Amino acid sequence: MMGPTHSASAFAAGLATTIALDTANIYNFTPATALIFAGITAGAGLLPDLDHPQATLARTWGPVSKLLAQITNSISAGFVNLTAGPKDKHVSNGHRKLTHTALFSLFIAPAIVLALISFGGFWAQMAVVYFFVTLALQGLFRDYIKSLGPILANVLAIGITYGLAQATPETLHPTLLAFAVAVGCIAHIAGDAPTHSGVPFFAPFIRMGGKRWNDVHLLPKGMTVSASGWANTALFVISIVLSVVLFGYIVGGEFGLVI
């Protein structure tokens, strides 16, 4: 799926997660903090495509993010070749490989967030929040952000980050941030799983068809969809409608959320 759709679906997944966490009495959200959590997941919804030099994330910070995407692509390809089984083909392009696995979503990405904040302290925490706020803005409001230009877009992201740190610092707890990143990445992978390429979600630990890097498809063969076709538009619309419905529940005080 395309960038805006990944962010929109991750935003909806974030709202659903806040309801689940609140219902289980694991963490109590207000409508405002639920939106913030979902906003971070919306940004993280673009993270798995860090392995694609032409993706939304790679274009967000110009040459810097493009270089990071190229490095990630090479690391991903190298990891595939390092862990490949006898039936796996060696690859030179790492797109939709390492960053589209459960390993990356549930362990590597959250661990990087926790490590950065642990070693870098407050300013690293703010940098992480700024990173995902910027991605959320790029994903959810792409045309508007593009019209602002890079300078004003960054000023807006910095302003939002500062505002969150001042108004709701509890929502920027490292563990909560890491969890939001995991939710966003899983939402991204779920969106890519029905496409023609599929995703190597269980790689490299679970062999499928004798391969460690076999792709998983949510739809039967012959029913998979294009990443940029009608299914992309449909998922985007469904995600927006679902987000409105979920937030309506939250504002209405359902599931024990505190208003």
Side-chain angles (χ1 to χ4, degrees), residues 32-71:
T33 57
L35 277 179
I36 293 167
F37 181 90
I40 298 297
T41 67
L46 297 180
L47 188 59
D49 276 346
L50 180 58
D51 63 2
H52 193 328
Q54 299 303 319
T56 300
L57 194 162
R59 299 194 303 268
T60 299
W61 290 282
V64 174
S65 52
K66 184 161 288 191
L67 176 61
L68 182 59
Q70 291 170 342
I71 292 172

Side-chain angles (χ1 to χ4, degrees), residues 70-229:
Q70 291 170 342
I71 292 172
T72 304
N73 185 284
S74 296
I75 291 174
S76 178
F79 185 79
V80 171
N81 295 332
L82 181 66
T83 59
K87 292 187 177 181
D88 290 296
K89 293 181 179 179
H90 281 225
V91 300
S92 58
N93 183 353
H95 179 47
R96 282 204 185 185
K97 299 300 181 185
L98 175 59
T99 61
H100 287 67
T101 63
L103 173 64
F104 178 83
S105 301
L106 300 178
F107 296 100
I108 295 177
I112 290 174
V113 169
L114 291 174
L116 286 173
I117 297 174
S118 176
F119 289 104
F122 173 78
W123 290 111
Q125 183 182 16
M126 291 301 97
V128 168
V129 175
Y130 159 78
F131 180 83
F132 288 110
V133 165
T134 301
L135 292 183
L137 291 173
Q138 289 284 348
L140 296 174
F141 309 103
R142 182 175 61 181
D143 291 340
Y144 174 69
I145 294 301
K146 185 176 180 179
S147 70
L148 288 179
I151 295 177
L152 288 179
N154 276 285
V155 169
L156 177 60
I158 291 170
I160 292 174
T161 301
Y162 176 80
L164 295 179
Q166 294 298 312
T168 58
E170 69 277 6
T171 61
L172 308 184
H173 188 279
T175 302
L176 204 58
L177 288 174
F179 188 66
V181 169
V183 172
C185 288
I186 290 295
H188 178 113
I189 293 173
D192 279 345
T195 63
H196 299 316
S197 298
V199 291
F201 186 72
F202 299 107
F205 303 109
I206 299 178
R207 293 177 185 265
M208 300 183 67
K211 298 179 180 180
R212 290 182 177 178
W213 288 91
N214 209 352
D215 292 317
V216 175
H217 297 84
L218 283 183
L219 296 176
K221 186 177 181 180
M223 295 180 63
T224 55
V225 297
S226 170
S228 59

